[in-house]
Amino acid sequence: MRNRERGQPADLPSLPDVLDAAARIRSHAIRTPVLRSSTLDAMFGTRLFFKCENFQRAGAFKFRGACNAVFSLSEDDARCGVATHSSGNHGAALALAARLRGIPCRVVMPRNAPDVKKAAVLGYGAEIDFCVPTLAAREEMLEGVVARTNAAVVHPYDDARVIAGQGTVALELLDDVPDLDYVLTPIGGGGLTAGTALAVKSRCPGTSMVAVEPEGADDAYRSFRSGERLPSVAPQTIADGLLTSVGVRNFALIRRYVDDIVTVGDPAIIRAMRLVWERMKTVVEPSAAVPLAALVENRIDVRGMRVGMVLSGGNVDLDRLPW
């Protein structure tokens, strides 16, 4: 990684790393479409461009970062496979990327992870180690897995290779839709937001970059306001993919490139999710609906603007729809 700045992690990615990632994953990842909705445009008085990562392999943007990380490994590093902890989407993405490279994958998952996400991880050929639903338990169990297997760790979001891979979302969006006034992403651990912000501000510095976070898991919002990382304590939100605290590398990039972070309530997330299902006939999970929820709650004034919005994933348990 090319970025070196005092007081920050030594391996922050830069735009050339995102471009390298785009070339590396091109034959594996889907170039997802950008969809429009005249109904939603009229409802919010804006022009919305939805980057549909719910159509990505493994059902979420996470495949980009996982694929870049797996195919960045040397033969020696890849020999014992890869391991991670995940509530679902990253685990499935890493499992698929590992299968494509022909190496084993182990995923530590909380026992209360959605069944649809557990099934996806297993379906892509990974082994699962279940733990209690705390970050400390996930990290402790992952250390044990690595000690037994010597697998290479691919962190769900606080990994320069993963961040660079997620930044390829923005490269495609900006190629397809130039001259955006805003780009909005959901934020949990911050991999998507950090990579997107890096690419957006490097390519289109006049575009405003805004991350949106659930009120019940608002560590990134609080951290952004205070200027220091403030991890979540017992976060609670329907957006299960956004429960994790923002990572060290991610926060460093967010402080540099993100213009604002706003929060939204679960009722607005549910309404936004239903709007996408009903008006766009597109399946998204709660986490993916979080940026649109910012418009539902009028947290950002984008009237008359051209707004890119990342629909981050579509891995939703159809037996547990929030409505």
Side-chain angles (χ1 to χ4, degrees):
M1 298 298 155
R2 299 162 172 83
N3 204 350
R4 297 290 185 271
E5 186 166 310
R6 185 173 153 186
Q8 295 189 345
D11 61 345
L12 290 183
S14 60
L15 181 62
D17 298 308
V18 180
L19 297 173
D20 288 347
R24 187 173 292 114
I25 71 175
R26 184 170 292 121
S27 62
H28 304 292
I30 295 169
R31 185 183 178 99
T32 54
V34 176
L35 298 186
R36 303 289 314 279
S37 169
S38 58
T39 300
L40 295 182
D41 282 358
M43 184 178 297
F44 297 110
T46 187
R47 287 167 289 176
L48 299 172
F49 301 86
F50 295 93
K51 178 62 171 168
C52 293
E53 286 297 291
N54 52 317
F55 297 150
Q56 186 54 259
R57 297 185 75 169
F61 76 93
K62 293 279 191 177
F63 179 71
R64 295 173 181 268
C67 186
N68 187 50
V70 166
F71 283 92
S72 295
L73 293 171
S74 67
E75 289 300 321
D76 284 344
D77 289 339
R79 185 170 293 112
C80 295
V82 290
T84 194
H85 65 76
S86 170
S87 61
N89 282 348
H90 175 70
L94 190 66
L96 174 56
R99 189 177 77 180
L100 291 172
R101 185 156 180 183
I103 59 177
C105 179
R106 297 284 294 268
V107 180
V108 174
M109 296 187 72
R111 295 192 185 100
N112 64 347
D115 288 342
V116 65
K117 295 186 178 181
K118 296 174 186 174
V121 172
L122 292 171
Y124 288 125
E127 294 185 39
I128 298 178
D129 293 275
F130 290 108
C131 67
V132 297
T134 68
L135 180 59
R138 286 161 59 156
E139 292 175 340
E140 181 180 357
M141 184 167 284
L142 179 59
E143 287 180 5
V145 169
V146 172
R148 292 194 308 272
T149 64
N150 204 31
V153 175
V154 179
H155 195 276
Y157 47 88
D158 198 353
D159 182 304
R161 302 162 302 179
V162 169
I163 295 169
Q166 317 307 24
T168 64
V169 173
L171 292 183
E172 293 177 6
L173 174 61
L174 296 173
D175 282 345
D176 292 342
V177 191
D179 302 323
L180 289 170
D181 297 300
Y182 283 84
V183 172
L184 275 57
T185 60
I187 184 168
L192 176 62
T193 295
T196 299
L198 165 61
V200 167
K201 289 298 187 178
S202 298
R203 282 284 181 87
C204 303
T207 299
S208 293
M209 179 68 211
V210 179
V212 188
E213 187 173 42
E215 289 175 350
D218 67 345
D219 67 287
Y221 171 82
R222 292 183 290 107
S223 299
F224 188 75
R225 292 292 184 273
S226 70
E228 61 179 318
R229 286 180 66 244
L230 301 171
S232 288
V233 177
Q236 293 187 351
T237 174
I238 192 171
D240 63 276
L242 306 180
L243 289 168
T244 49
S245 297
V246 68
V248 174
R249 293 167 183 80
N250 316 80
F251 187 55
L253 290 167
I254 286 164
R255 290 192 67 189
R256 183 184 303 174
Y257 295 118
V258 170
D259 294 293
D260 200 7
I261 298 178
V262 300
T263 61
V264 292
D266 276 10
I269 296 171
I270 294 169
R271 185 185 172 202
M273 178 180 173
R274 185 159 185 160
L275 280 172
V276 174
W277 281 54
E278 291 181 344
R279 300 299 183 176
M280 298 179 65
K281 315 305 178 189
T282 299
V283 174
V284 294
E285 60 190 272
S287 299
V290 167
L292 185 60
L295 275 58
V296 169
E297 287 196 337
N298 295 313
R299 298 300 175 93
I300 310 171
D301 185 4
V302 294
R303 288 170 294 181
M305 302 291 185
R306 291 165 58 85
V307 181
M309 193 172 291
V310 181
L311 297 180
S312 55
N315 294 319
V316 61
D317 188 343
L318 297 179
D319 292 325
R320 299 176 63 187
L321 293 178
W323 51 80

